[in-house]
Coordinates of all heavy atoms in Angstrom, one line a residue:
F1 N 0.8 -1.2 0.0 CA 0.0 0.0 0.0 C 0.9 1.3 0.0 O 0.6 2.2 -0.7 CB -0.9 0.0 1.2 CG -1.7 1.3 1.4 CD1 -2.7 1.6 0.6 CD2 -1.3 2.2 2.4 CE1 -3.4 2.8 0.8 CE2 -1.9 3.4 2.6 CZ -3.0 3.7 1.8
V2 N 1.9 1.2 0.8 CA 2.8 2.4 0.8 C 3.5 2.6 -0.6 O 3.5 3.7 -1.1 CB 3.9 2.2 1.9 CG1 4.9 3.4 1.8 CG2 3.3 2.2 3.3
W3 N 4.0 1.5 -1.1 CA 4.7 1.6 -2.5 C 4.4 0.4 -3.2 O 4.8 -0.7 -2.9 CB 6.1 1.9 -2.3 CG 6.9 1.8 -3.6 CD1 7.7 0.8 -4.0 CD2 6.7 2.7 -4.7 NE1 8.2 1.1 -5.3 CE2 7.6 2.2 -5.8 CE3 5.9 3.8 -4.9 CZ2 7.7 2.9 -7.0 CZ3 6.1 4.5 -6.1 CH2 6.9 4.0 -7.2
N4 N 3.6 0.6 -4.3 CA 3.3 -0.5 -5.2 C 4.2 -0.4 -6.4 O 4.0 0.4 -7.3 CB 1.8 -0.5 -5.7 CG 1.4 -1.7 -6.4 OD1 2.1 -2.3 -7.2 ND2 0.1 -2.1 -6.2
S5 N 5.2 -1.3 -6.5 CA 6.2 -1.2 -7.5 C 5.7 -1.6 -8.9 O 6.2 -1.1 -9.9 CB 7.4 -2.0 -7.2 OG 7.0 -3.4 -7.0
E6 N 4.6 -2.4 -8.9 CA 4.1 -2.8 -10.2 C 3.3 -1.7 -10.8 O 3.4 -1.5 -12.1 CB 3.2 -4.0 -10.0 CG 3.9 -5.3 -9.5 CD 3.0 -6.5 -9.3 OE1 1.8 -6.3 -9.5 OE2 3.5 -7.5 -8.9
R7 N 2.5 -1.0 -10.1 CA 1.7 0.1 -10.6 C 2.3 1.5 -10.5 O 1.7 2.5 -10.9 CB 0.3 0.1 -9.9 CG -0.5 -1.2 -10.2 CD -1.9 -1.0 -9.5 NE -2.7 -2.2 -9.7 CZ -3.9 -2.4 -9.3 NH1 -4.5 -1.4 -8.6 NH2 -4.6 -3.5 -9.5
K8 N 3.4 1.5 -9.8 CA 4.1 2.8 -9.5 C 3.2 3.7 -8.7 O 3.1 4.9 -9.0 CB 4.6 3.5 -10.8 CG 5.4 2.6 -11.8 CD 6.7 2.2 -11.1 CE 7.6 1.4 -12.1 NZ 8.8 0.9 -11.5
E9 N 2.6 3.2 -7.6 CA 1.7 4.0 -6.8 C 2.3 4.2 -5.4 O 2.9 3.3 -4.8 CB 0.4 3.3 -6.7 CG -0.4 3.2 -8.0 CD -1.7 2.5 -7.8 OE1 -1.9 1.8 -6.7 OE2 -2.6 2.5 -8.7
F10 N 2.1 5.4 -4.9 CA 2.6 5.7 -3.6 C 1.3 6.1 -2.8 O 0.6 7.0 -3.1 CB 3.5 6.9 -3.6 CG 3.9 7.4 -2.2 CD1 4.7 6.6 -1.4 CD2 3.5 8.6 -1.7 CE1 5.1 7.0 -0.1 CE2 3.8 9.0 -0.4 CZ 4.7 8.2 0.4
L11 N 1.0 5.3 -1.7 CA -0.2 5.5 -0.9 C -1.4 5.4 -1.7 O -2.4 6.1 -1.6 CB -0.1 6.8 -0.1 CG 1.0 6.9 1.0 CD1 0.9 8.3 1.6 CD2 0.9 5.8 2.0
G12 N -1.4 4.5 -2.7 CA -2.6 4.3 -3.5 C -2.8 5.2 -4.7 O -3.8 5.1 -5.4
R13 N -1.8 6.1 -4.9 CA -2.0 7.1 -6.1 C -0.7 7.1 -6.9 O 0.4 7.0 -6.3 CB -2.3 8.5 -5.6 CG -3.7 8.6 -4.9 CD -4.0 10.0 -4.5 NE -5.3 10.2 -4.0 CZ -6.4 10.4 -4.7 NH1 -6.3 10.4 -6.0 NH2 -7.6 10.5 -4.1
T14 N -0.9 7.3 -8.2 CA 0.2 7.5 -9.0 C 0.8 8.9 -8.9 O 0.2 9.8 -8.3 CB -0.2 7.2 -10.5 OG1 -1.1 8.2 -10.9 CG2 -0.8 5.8 -10.7
G15 N 2.0 9.1 -9.5 CA 2.6 10.4 -9.4 C 1.8 11.4 -10.1 O 1.6 12.6 -9.6
G16 N 1.1 11.1 -11.2 CA 0.2 12.0 -11.9 C -0.9 12.4 -11.1 O -1.4 13.6 -11.0
S17 N -1.5 11.4 -10.3 CA -2.7 11.7 -9.5 C -2.2 12.7 -8.3 O -3.0 13.6 -8.0 CB -3.2 10.4 -8.9 OG -4.3 10.7 -8.0
W18 N -1.1 12.4 -7.7 CA -0.6 13.3 -6.7 C -0.3 14.7 -7.2 O -0.6 15.7 -6.5 CB 0.7 12.7 -6.0 CG 0.4 11.6 -5.0 CD1 0.8 10.3 -5.1 CD2 -0.2 11.7 -3.8 NE1 0.4 9.6 -4.1 CE2 -0.3 10.5 -3.2 CE3 -0.8 12.8 -3.1 CZ2 -0.8 10.2 -1.9 CZ3 -1.4 12.6 -1.9 CH2 -1.4 11.3 -1.3
F19 N 0.2 14.8 -8.4 CA 0.5 16.1 -9.0 C -0.8 16.9 -9.2 O -0.8 18.1 -8.8 CB 1.2 15.9 -10.3 CG 1.5 17.2 -11.0 CD1 2.5 18.1 -10.6 CD2 0.7 17.6 -12.1 CE1 2.7 19.3 -11.2 CE2 1.0 18.8 -12.7 CZ 2.0 19.6 -12.3
K20 N -1.8 16.2 -9.7 CA -3.1 16.9 -9.9 C -3.7 17.4 -8.6 O -4.2 18.5 -8.5 CB -4.1 16.0 -10.6 CG -3.7 15.7 -12.0 CD -4.7 14.7 -12.6 CE -4.2 14.3 -14.1 NZ -5.2 13.3 -14.7
I21 N -3.6 16.6 -7.5 CA -4.2 17.0 -6.2 C -3.4 18.1 -5.6 O -4.0 19.1 -5.1 CB -4.1 15.8 -5.2 CG1 -5.1 14.7 -5.7 CG2 -4.4 16.2 -3.8 CD1 -5.1 13.5 -4.8
L22 N -2.0 18.1 -5.8 CA -1.2 19.2 -5.3 C -1.5 20.5 -6.0 O -1.7 21.5 -5.3 CB 0.3 18.8 -5.5 CG 1.3 19.9 -5.0 CD1 1.2 20.1 -3.5 CD2 2.7 19.4 -5.4
V23 N -1.7 20.5 -7.3 CA -2.0 21.7 -8.1 C -3.4 22.2 -7.6 O -3.6 23.4 -7.5 CB -2.0 21.4 -9.6 CG1 -2.5 22.6 -10.3 CG2 -0.6 21.1 -10.0
F24 N -4.4 21.3 -7.4 CA -5.7 21.7 -7.0 C -5.7 22.5 -5.7 O -6.3 23.5 -5.6 CB -6.6 20.5 -6.9 CG -7.9 20.8 -6.3 CD1 -9.0 21.4 -7.0 CD2 -8.2 20.5 -4.9 CE1 -10.2 21.7 -6.4 CE2 -9.4 20.8 -4.3 CZ -10.4 21.4 -5.1
Y25 N -5.0 21.9 -4.7 CA -5.0 22.5 -3.4 C -4.1 23.8 -3.4 O -4.5 24.7 -2.6 CB -4.5 21.5 -2.3 CG -5.6 20.6 -1.9 CD1 -5.6 19.2 -2.3 CD2 -6.6 21.0 -1.1 CE1 -6.6 18.4 -1.9 CE2 -7.7 20.2 -0.7 CZ -7.6 18.9 -1.1 OH -8.6 18.0 -0.7
I26 N -3.1 23.9 -4.2 CA -2.4 25.1 -4.3 C -3.3 26.2 -4.8 O -3.3 27.4 -4.3 CB -1.1 25.0 -5.2 CG1 -0.1 24.1 -4.5 CG2 -0.5 26.3 -5.5 CD1 1.1 23.8 -5.3
I27 N -4.0 25.9 -5.9 CA -4.9 26.9 -6.5 C -6.1 27.2 -5.5 O -6.4 28.4 -5.3 CB -5.5 26.4 -7.8 CG1 -4.4 26.2 -8.8 CG2 -6.6 27.3 -8.3 CD1 -4.9 25.6 -10.1
F28 N -6.6 26.2 -4.8 CA -7.7 26.4 -3.9 C -7.3 27.3 -2.7 O -8.0 28.3 -2.4 CB -8.2 25.0 -3.4 CG -9.3 25.1 -2.3 CD1 -10.6 25.5 -2.7 CD2 -9.0 24.8 -1.0 CE1 -11.6 25.6 -1.7 CE2 -10.0 24.9 0.0 CZ -11.3 25.3 -0.4
Y29 N -6.2 27.0 -2.0 CA -5.8 27.8 -0.9 C -5.2 29.1 -1.3 O -5.3 30.1 -0.6 CB -4.8 27.0 0.0 CG -5.4 25.9 0.8 CD1 -5.2 24.6 0.5 CD2 -6.3 26.2 1.8 CE1 -5.8 23.6 1.2 CE2 -6.9 25.2 2.6 CZ -6.7 23.9 2.3 OH -7.3 22.9 3.0
G30 N -4.7 29.2 -2.5 CA -4.2 30.4 -3.1 C -5.4 31.4 -3.2 O -5.3 32.6 -2.9
C31 N -6.5 30.9 -3.8 CA -7.7 31.7 -3.9 C -8.3 32.1 -2.6 O -8.7 33.3 -2.4 CB -8.8 30.9 -4.7 SG -8.4 30.6 -6.4
L32 N -8.3 31.2 -1.6 CA -8.7 31.6 -0.2 C -7.9 32.7 0.4 O -8.4 33.7 0.9 CB -8.7 30.4 0.7 CG -9.8 29.3 0.5 CD1 -9.6 28.2 1.5 CD2 -11.2 29.9 0.6
A33 N -6.6 32.6 0.2 CA -5.6 33.6 0.7 C -5.9 34.9 0.0 O -5.8 36.0 0.6 CB -4.2 33.2 0.5
G34 N -6.1 34.9 -1.3 CA -6.4 36.1 -2.1 C -7.7 36.8 -1.6 O -7.7 38.0 -1.5
V35 N -8.7 36.0 -1.4 CA -10.0 36.6 -0.9 C -9.7 37.2 0.5 O -10.2 38.3 0.8 CB -11.1 35.5 -0.8 CG1 -12.3 36.0 -0.1 CG2 -11.4 35.0 -2.2
F36 N -9.0 36.6 1.4 CA -8.7 37.1 2.7 C -7.9 38.4 2.6 O -8.3 39.4 3.2 CB -8.0 36.1 3.5 CG -7.6 36.5 4.9 CD1 -8.5 36.6 5.9 CD2 -6.2 36.9 5.1 CE1 -8.1 37.1 7.2 CE2 -5.9 37.4 6.4 CZ -6.8 37.5 7.4
V37 N -6.8 38.4 1.8 CA -6.0 39.6 1.7 C -6.8 40.7 1.1 O -6.7 41.9 1.5 CB -4.7 39.3 0.9 CG1 -4.0 40.6 0.6 CG2 -3.8 38.3 1.6
G38 N -7.6 40.4 0.1 CA -8.4 41.4 -0.6 C -9.4 42.0 0.4 O -9.7 43.2 0.4
T39 N -10.0 41.2 1.2 CA -11.0 41.7 2.2 C -10.3 42.6 3.2 O -10.9 43.7 3.5 CB -11.7 40.5 2.9 OG1 -12.3 39.7 2.0 CG2 -12.7 41.0 3.9
I40 N -9.2 42.2 3.7 CA -8.4 43.1 4.6 C -8.0 44.4 4.0 O -8.2 45.5 4.6 CB -7.2 42.4 5.2 CG1 -7.6 41.1 6.0 CG2 -6.3 43.3 6.0 CD1 -8.4 41.4 7.2
Q41 N -7.6 44.4 2.7 CA -7.2 45.6 2.0 C -8.4 46.5 1.8 O -8.3 47.7 2.0 CB -6.5 45.3 0.7 CG -5.2 44.6 0.8 CD -4.2 45.5 1.5 OE1 -4.2 46.7 1.3 NE2 -3.3 45.0 2.2
A42 N -9.5 45.9 1.5 CA -10.8 46.7 1.3 C -11.2 47.4 2.6 O -11.6 48.5 2.7 CB -11.9 45.8 0.8
L43 N -11.0 46.6 3.7 CA -11.3 47.2 5.0 C -10.4 48.3 5.4 O -10.8 49.4 5.9 CB -11.3 46.1 6.1 CG -11.5 46.5 7.6 CD1 -12.9 47.1 7.7 CD2 -11.2 45.3 8.5
L44 N -9.1 48.1 5.1 CA -8.1 49.2 5.5 C -8.4 50.5 4.7 O -8.1 51.6 5.2 CB -6.7 48.7 5.2 CG -6.2 47.6 6.1 CD1 -4.8 47.1 5.6 CD2 -6.1 48.0 7.5
L45 N -8.9 50.4 3.5 CA -9.3 51.5 2.7 C -10.3 52.4 3.3 O -10.4 53.6 3.1 CB -9.7 51.1 1.3 CG -8.6 50.5 0.4 CD1 -9.2 50.1 -0.9 CD2 -7.5 51.5 0.2
T46 N -11.2 51.8 4.2 CA -12.2 52.5 4.9 C -11.8 53.2 6.2 O -12.5 53.9 6.8 CB -13.4 51.6 5.2 OG1 -13.0 50.6 6.2 CG2 -13.9 50.9 3.9
L47 N -10.5 52.8 6.6 CA -10.1 53.4 7.9 C -9.2 54.6 7.7 O -8.5 54.7 6.7 CB -9.3 52.3 8.6 CG -10.0 51.0 8.9 CD1 -9.0 50.0 9.6 CD2 -11.2 51.2 9.7
S48 N -9.3 55.5 8.7 CA -8.5 56.7 8.7 C -7.2 56.5 9.5 O -7.2 55.8 10.5 CB -9.3 57.9 9.2 OG -8.5 59.0 9.4

């Protein structure tokens, strides 16, 4: 299960599958961080 040498799988996923998941979460959390930073910046614009 940890490493399947026949199918080239690590923890049940191939390298391509792990790459797609990694890219998805980078984009997902990047968007969340962008929304958070944008909200804070918009709030700061209203403050004196």
Side-chain angles (χ1 to χ4, degrees):
F1 171 74
V2 175
W3 172 248
N4 190 325
S5 59
E6 295 179 0
R7 298 183 180 182
K8 306 298 184 183
E9 292 179 347
F10 176 70
L11 296 178
R13 292 184 179 275
T14 63
S17 178
W18 279 115
F19 177 75
K20 292 177 182 178
I21 291 176
L22 179 63
V23 171
F24 169 79
Y25 280 108
I26 289 176
I27 296 174
F28 176 71
Y29 286 111
C31 291
L32 287 181
V35 171
F36 176 76
V37 172
T39 303
I40 296 299
Q41 290 298 324
L43 176 63
L44 292 176
L45 291 176
T46 67
L47 302 179
S48 170

